[in-house]
Amino acid sequence: PLDEKKVIFLSSLKKIDALEEMVKALRERGLLSRSEGVFEDLKKREELGSTGIGRSIALPHSQGEGIEKPLIALGVSRKGVDYDSGDGLPVHLLFLVLSPMKPAGRHLELLAAAARLAKTLSGRLAPYLESGDPERFFEVLRQEASRF
């Protein structure tokens, strides 16, 4: 489940900085055993093409040996992250998907789940993101995420 421990309120305004901030926070919260390889893999993935999918949403993802168990985390930026998305809009919601190499196919399942969650949450969270009220934001997040 997407609980408060997996939600990171971002201060970074640039894509790579935001990804580094998320990985560092997940490591500090005990959700990742190591961070350097994961961050490097995310940077390499972004070099292939932006994972900004439009409508102020990004789906950065990595699959690697340094990841022990599947994880979906949410980065939230009130100001917006310059993410090089196709529509040119800043990104406010970053759904980070991390998974181990095995089992095969699990990474794609997680990406699909994250995309569905992003689609559902993007419109419903926007007013609470703009208000800056974290309690209300988490209340809506819990209600919507419980459906997945």
Side-chain angles (χ1 to χ4, degrees), residues 52-116:
I53 61 171
R55 298 179 57 206
S56 297
I57 299 170
L59 286 170
H61 54 93
S62 178
Q63 183 178 19
E65 299 296 333
I67 302 166
E68 295 174 0
K69 58 185 178 181
L71 173 68
I72 297 177
L74 174 61
V76 180
S77 172
R78 289 190 67 215
K79 293 181 180 178
V81 175
D82 180 7
Y83 209 88
D84 200 24
S85 295
D87 62 5
L89 295 174
V91 166
H92 293 279
L93 299 173
L94 289 82
F95 290 84
L96 176 63
V97 178
L98 302 173
S99 61
M101 294 300 288
K102 294 180 182 179
R106 181 69 173 140
H107 188 69
L108 292 177
E109 291 172 10
L110 285 172
L111 270 175
R116 286 191 305 274

Side-chain angles (χ1 to χ4, degrees), residues 5-6 8 19-39 42 66-68 71 73 96 98:
K5 195 173 181 181
K6 296 175 185 167
I8 299 109
L19 293 174
E20 185 174 31
E21 185 178 348
M22 287 186 75
V23 169
K24 182 179 177 186
L26 292 171
R27 170 101 168 115
E28 288 171 356
R29 296 172 187 189
L31 296 170
L32 280 177
S33 59
R34 59 177 259 245
S35 57
E36 189 58 36
V38 174
F39 174 62
L42 287 167
I67 302 166
E68 295 174 0
L71 173 68
L96 176 63
L98 302 173

